[in-house]
Amino acid sequence: MRSCILGLLMALTLQSLHAQKSPVKFGDIPMEDLKMKVYDKDSSASAVILSDYGEAYLSINAVNVALMFEKHVRIKILTKEGQKWGDVAIPVYHSGSAEERIIKIKGTTYNLENGKIVETDLSKDGIFKEKFNRNVNLLKFSFPNVKEGSVLEYSYTLTSEFLSNFPNWQFQYDIPVRWSEYWAMFPDFFTFEKYMQGYLRLASYEVKNKAGTNFQTLAHHWIMQDVPAFKEEPFMTCEDDYVSKINIALSHVAFPGEPVREIMGTWAKFNANLLESEAFGKSITGFGSLRKKSEELTAGMTDNQQKIAAIFNYVRQNIEWNGDKDYYADNLKDIVEKKKGTTGDINLLLASMLEKVDIPTEMIVLSTRDHGFVRQQYPMDDQFNYVVCSVKMGDKRLLLDATDKYLPIGVLPERCLNGHGLVVSKAGYSWINLEAKGKSKTVVSTDLTLKETGELAGKINYTYDGYDAHSMRKDYFTNGEADYLKKFLADKNWEIQKSEFQNLKEIEQNAKQLHELVINEHCTMAGGAIYLNPYVTSQLKENPFKLEKREYPVDFGSPEEQTYMSRIAIPEGYVVDELPKPKVLMLPGNAAKFSYSVTQTGNVLNVVSMLQINKSLFVQDEYLHLREFYNQVVAKQAEQIVLKKK
């Protein structure tokens, strides 16, 4: 397809489809920018992008047609934290023997020293390439002599044979942008899908029609200025879902007198291509050498569920995930020998081994939470970066991911809970909602005795279920018991006398940790009274939602449930002077619920509290209610029990 497009383009009269100009001249740095100490529109900014300019166009000559992308950036460093902007990484795509190239790269650091501008140029020796994933390398460099007050400037040109990889443009970053401008020049026989995302308005958008000898060029021109920094907020998916950005994808090509050539295609075509791919569908049906091991693992088993568990556990325990996310596989035989692979390697190996014992498996390609939402209206393969297995058990679907050693079978890692995934099937593609099957759940139970000195002594037990159990197990086995306890106790004034951990290797069961302990400095003694907060742990001390208005949804990933139960024996000679009143809070539709009560039986106080988040996603219109809900939870959990002497 690419060669056909190249041939037809080169048959046209030769011309280069660009003639634009950056708003700033390289090396011409205004003195006021060099003297800038604070950015007037955001005094908290660690750096500011003074100018971000780009243009993309086609360059056509007698032997080649190339997609060209020119970029020119200028950045002001304001604080030590902002110096990280002196490290630059440029993604470079490659496939087969073809690879994009970066040419005409230059960079300069400007510092004002004793009233004079000192320039330090980027050394070619400081530019290097690093693998990012199967199809992308990163061209990296670091600016020399970067300090507070520096102005950094760089420019480069990317040349690409991949004409369908038209560059997107990001206007917003986690530092402010004073000026952002992008030109995209499309020949009129190229049809592109364009969609704007984010919550900021463009300062300008225009389309200019530029006539050539044989075809017209549509020059799209976007400008955004005084762009505020993107502020990450709690409970978000990846930043890329929400920053202001223009996304561009080549849909189809219609040359004069030629039939329309689909480039973007359809999901049905994508599904068919995956099934025929040597690195996807044929990896599952091929590699007959895996049959022997699959049959050994399932020998004597007649129940498919047992067979699935046996093969799943073998792959999970024997093949280590290398941390790379993708949805294709290398040679599966090599993966077994190396005992390490990507998400694609591991889960396609699992599917292939299941296929060898006659268990039909479909694959689900998806985008992880740190990669961004999948927009179903745009059938583009680069929206995906992950794959898991799907096995039907009667009328139910069992989702399998063998990359994680600390999750029960049938539970996807939290990174996968991100909207919808595409089911790749011989029967045709479909979409599946990737939602949590259960809650992230923790139950804390204490049995404590309060002494006249304010010291608390007794036992505290934690029981974890769902993703909370996964997090606890991962921390424990990654760090070892000693370091786990050190980290666990880092923010607690506890003297641990004995600790016990239960069910950590039994992944299907709740994980538990139990401690015998003494707690000092928790109570306040004043005027013969003891002031006691009943939460010796797990108190929500501040509202995670601080902004009065939120532009983005709140995404918890999975429903949550935190239960706190405490039995506290008060010392002889003391009586209860004040007890917090019971309270129940509930959001509409039972989206969230908080209950709290403290009761007294003889000299024993019983505290029962439960915080439930019953759905994963709260849209912007629900934010104010959710924020106020948390305000009241924080306030209630801060209330004290007051004891006084008889």
Side-chain angles (χ1 to χ4, degrees):
M1 176 65 72
R2 183 165 63 92
S3 61
C4 292
I5 294 175
L6 291 176
L8 286 165
L9 277 171
M10 290 165 61
L12 300 171
T13 299
L14 309 181
Q15 62 187 83
S16 182
L17 308 179
H18 99 112
Q20 312 313 316
K21 188 176 180 181
S22 173
V24 296
K25 181 181 178 182
F26 199 102
D28 187 6
I29 313 297
M31 187 58 69
E32 57 265 32
D33 288 344
L34 283 162
K35 291 182 176 180
M36 184 193 300
K37 302 292 185 183
V38 176
Y39 182 50
D40 59 355
K41 292 181 172 58
D42 183 354
S43 60
S44 67
S46 62
V48 56
I49 298 175
L50 301 172
S51 177
D52 191 11
Y53 175 82
E55 56 182 87
Y57 57 93
L58 292 181
S59 176
I60 308 171
N61 58 44
V63 295
N64 187 46
V65 179
L67 172 62
M68 309 295 289
F69 175 59
E70 298 181 10
K71 190 172 174 70
H72 179 191
V73 183
R74 185 180 290 174
I75 304 171
K76 172 70 179 184
I77 306 300
L78 296 168
T79 69
K80 186 175 181 180
E81 180 188 354
Q83 292 180 25
K84 65 183 181 183
W85 283 86
D87 298 323
V88 179
I90 304 168
V92 180
Y93 183 82
H94 62 91
S95 179
S97 60
E99 182 176 20
E100 295 176 332
R101 293 186 302 122
I102 302 292
I103 59 175
K104 300 180 182 177
I105 186 168
K106 61 179 180 178
T108 303
T109 303
Y110 306 90
N111 288 302
L112 194 61
E113 298 179 5
N114 300 319
K116 295 183 178 180
I117 300 175
V118 177
E119 300 182 13
T120 310
D121 291 333
L122 175 67
S123 168
K124 301 297 182 184
D125 295 336
I127 303 172
F128 62 96
K129 190 182 293 185
E130 183 179 283
K131 180 181 178 181
F132 180 68
N133 61 31
R134 192 184 302 270
N135 290 108
V136 176
N137 292 322
L138 296 177
L139 189 78
K140 289 188 168 185
F141 60 87
S142 295
F143 278 89
N145 200 26
V146 179
K147 59 184 77 173
E148 293 180 34
S150 297
V151 172
L152 314 179
E153 187 171 36
Y154 67 94
S155 65
Y156 65 87
T157 299
L158 180 147
T159 176
S160 173
E161 296 180 33
F162 305 100
L163 303 186
S164 60
N165 287 5
F166 217 90
N168 300 326
W169 185 260
Q170 185 170 325
F171 296 97
Q172 189 178 28
Y173 296 87
D174 58 9
I175 57 173
V177 180
R178 190 164 70 184
W179 183 272
S180 182
E181 180 178 358
Y182 186 42
W183 285 90
M185 273 68 80
F186 306 145
D188 62 355
F189 42 78
F190 276 23
T191 298
F192 286 85
E193 294 285 353
K194 304 175 293 297
Y195 62 91
M196 187 78 188
Q197 68 174 60
Y199 298 86
L200 303 177
R201 291 186 177 183
L202 290 164
S204 172
Y205 172 59
E206 60 178 341
V207 181
K208 294 183 177 180
N209 195 327
K210 298 189 174 185
T213 306
N214 289 339
F215 55 87
Q216 301 285 321
T217 299
L218 298 177
H220 294 257
H221 185 208
W222 296 268
I223 295 175
M224 197 174 280
Q225 60 188 97
D226 299 330
V227 184
F230 178 84
K231 303 292 187 182
E232 187 174 354
E233 299 176 20
F235 305 106
M236 291 182 64
T237 52
C238 79
E239 174 183 309
D240 196 51
D241 283 332
Y242 303 108
V243 292
S244 289
K245 179 181 179 182
I246 183 71
N247 298 280
I248 301 172
L250 180 57
S251 173
H252 58 272
V253 179
F255 293 110
E258 293 284 333
V260 173
R261 300 174 184 270
E262 292 289 342
I263 304 298
M264 182 182 291
T266 63
W267 290 125
K269 182 179 177 182
F270 176 63
N271 179 82
N273 289 343
L274 285 179
L275 291 173
E276 290 299 315
S277 170
E278 295 288 342
F280 196 94
K282 290 186 177 179
S283 286
I284 298 173
T285 57
F287 295 97
S289 58
L290 297 172
R291 185 178 304 280
K292 182 179 178 182
K293 187 63 180 180
S294 301
E295 290 176 346
E296 286 177 1
L297 291 168
T298 58
M301 297 179 184
T302 56
D303 181 65
N304 275 357
Q305 198 158 348
Q306 289 180 312
K307 293 180 180 181
I308 293 167
I311 293 176
F312 177 83
N313 287 326
Y314 167 79
V315 175
R316 177 168 65 173
Q317 297 303 324
N318 288 277
I319 312 298
E320 181 184 353
W321 180 37
N322 64 9
D324 290 344
K325 306 184 186 100
D326 64 13
Y327 59 94
Y328 288 104
D330 286 329
N331 187 302
L332 295 184
K333 184 179 178 181
D334 291 345
I335 300 304
V336 173
E337 291 176 358
K338 293 176 183 176
K339 298 185 180 297
K340 183 177 286 191
T342 67
T343 54
D345 294 330
I346 292 172
N347 287 324
L348 285 162
L349 171 64
L350 172 61
S352 186
M353 293 185 71
L354 290 171
E355 190 267 346
K356 301 303 180 286
V357 291
D358 300 321
I359 296 177
T361 305
E362 296 174 333
M363 305 306 294
I364 299 174
V365 289
L366 58 92
S367 175
T368 53
R369 291 172 67 83
D370 62 355
H371 186 254
F373 296 133
V374 174
R375 291 172 169 84
Q376 296 180 29
Q377 64 270 40
Y378 300 106
M380 298 182 291
D381 58 1
D382 62 357
Q383 295 193 84
F384 302 108
N385 71 326
Y386 206 94
V387 65
V388 298
C389 300
S390 170
V391 179
K392 288 187 178 179
M393 305 290 294
D395 60 349
K396 294 184 179 179
R397 188 185 290 272
L398 185 67
L399 304 185
L400 304 171
D401 184 346
T403 65
D404 198 304
K405 301 185 188 307
Y406 308 116
L407 280 173
I409 187 170
V411 178
L412 293 181
E414 281 187 285
R415 59 179 171 267
C416 297
L417 306 180
N418 188 34
H420 289 78
L422 181 77
V423 181
V424 180
S425 172
K426 294 176 183 178
Y429 80 92
S430 59
W431 294 95
I432 184 172
N433 190 13
L434 300 168
E435 58 186 359
K437 299 300 181 184
K439 290 185 174 181
S440 300
K441 190 174 180 180
T442 298
V443 178
V444 180
S445 176
T446 79
D447 190 350
L448 302 168
T449 298
L450 176 64
K451 298 181 180 179
E452 291 184 9
T453 59
E455 179 185 275
L456 288 159
K459 299 179 180 180
I460 184 166
N461 300 335
Y462 289 78
T463 301
Y464 304 96
D465 193 10
Y467 292 111
D468 285 356
H470 169 261
S471 298
M472 186 268 169
R473 285 187 171 102
K474 186 175 181 181
D475 285 348
Y476 180 92
F477 286 115
T478 300
N479 299 304
E481 185 171 310
D483 286 345
Y484 171 83
L485 278 172
K486 184 178 180 181
K487 179 181 176 183
F488 176 75
L489 297 171
D491 60 346
K492 301 175 177 67
N493 291 315
W494 292 1
E495 180 185 328
I496 297 292
Q497 298 173 332
K498 181 181 177 182
S499 293
E500 182 182 353
F501 295 88
Q502 297 178 356
N503 303 337
L504 296 196
K505 293 183 179 179
E506 291 73 32
I507 304 298
E508 304 293 333
Q509 299 184 34
N510 293 340
K512 296 182 179 182
Q513 60 174 323
L514 306 88
H515 306 285
E516 294 181 10
L517 74 169
V518 174
I519 304 174
N520 294 299
E521 301 179 16
H522 181 74
C523 299
T524 301
M525 314 289 290
I530 301 176
Y531 296 84
L532 165 68
N533 186 301
Y535 289 90
V536 297
T537 184
S538 305
Q539 180 186 353
L540 189 64
K541 294 185 178 180
E542 61 179 30
N543 191 338
F545 305 111
K546 303 188 185 309
L547 297 179
E548 291 187 9
K549 183 181 179 181
R550 178 162 169 146
E551 301 287 355
Y552 323 110
V554 176
D555 191 335
F556 288 96
S558 63
E560 300 179 1
E561 183 174 298
Q562 306 292 318
T563 302
Y564 182 82
M565 299 181 293
S566 184
R567 181 183 183 277
I568 305 172
I570 64 177
E572 289 188 16
Y574 279 81
V575 295
V576 173
D577 186 44
E578 293 181 28
L579 282 183
K581 294 180 180 179
K583 188 159 191 171
V584 176
L585 301 170
M586 188 179 296
L587 289 182
N590 197 32
K593 182 179 180 181
F594 173 71
S595 60
Y596 178 91
S597 71
V598 183
T599 58
Q600 181 180 6
T601 304
N603 73 326
V604 174
L605 301 176
N606 290 288
V607 182
V608 180
S609 171
M610 181 180 289
L611 174 61
Q612 297 173 304
I613 305 298
N614 294 320
K615 68 176 187 176
S616 302
L617 189 69
F618 291 77
V619 298
Q620 293 91 316
D621 290 346
E622 299 174 295
Y623 175 72
L624 290 180
H625 293 295
L626 182 65
R627 181 172 181 263
E628 179 56 27
F629 174 85
Y630 270 87
N631 277 336
Q632 294 193 42
V633 171
V634 170
K636 195 64 188 177
Q637 291 189 357
E639 292 181 1
Q640 304 269 347
I641 296 170
V642 182
L643 307 177
K644 67 178 182 180
K645 289 186 176 181
K646 293 181 181 177

